Amino acid sequence: MCIRTGIAVVYVYGGVRTAWLGIFYMCIPTGISVGYVYGGVVSGSVGWRCAFFGEAILMLPFAMLGFTIFHLLEIINSSIYRRFF
């Protein structure tokens, strides 16, 4: 998690850096707590294998976003984008 914080500090400019870091650190405990509830409900009803594969399918878009986020951040932080927004 230390590396991810450094990446957010480098790529996010201006006054929104604090909000980005706050959202990042809020997602960690939220994900853990939602994961416990999701795991308990789905595992109790259809079994742990369905819970595992269902979560893998739900996480696929986030994994794809992880591979493309640096390029998207470079576009957002470019001077051309800042000129218009």
Side-chain angles (χ1 to χ4, degrees), residues 26-44:
M26 285 280 297
C27 288
I28 296 169
T30 303
I32 292 170
S33 61
V34 169
Y36 279 127
V37 173
Y38 169 78
V41 169
V42 175
S43 177

Side-chain angles (χ1 to χ4, degrees), residues 2-78:
C2 295
I3 294 172
R4 294 178 192 157
T5 304
I7 290 172
V9 168
V10 168
Y11 281 102
V12 179
Y13 297 105
V16 296
R17 182 179 296 157
T18 305
W20 274 62
L21 290 173
I23 291 169
F24 172 74
Y25 282 115
M26 285 280 297
C27 288
I28 296 169
T30 303
I32 292 170
S33 61
V34 169
Y36 279 127
V37 173
Y38 169 78
V41 169
V42 175
S43 177
S45 61
V46 293
W48 68 269
R49 286 182 181 90
C50 285
F52 179 77
F53 289 119
E55 189 170 345
I57 291 169
L58 289 174
M59 289 302 296
L60 185 63
F62 295 108
M64 292 169 50
L65 181 65
F67 286 112
T68 60
I69 193 71
F70 289 115
H71 181 66
L72 294 174
L73 286 174
E74 288 176 2
I75 292 171
I76 290 172
N77 290 328
S78 69

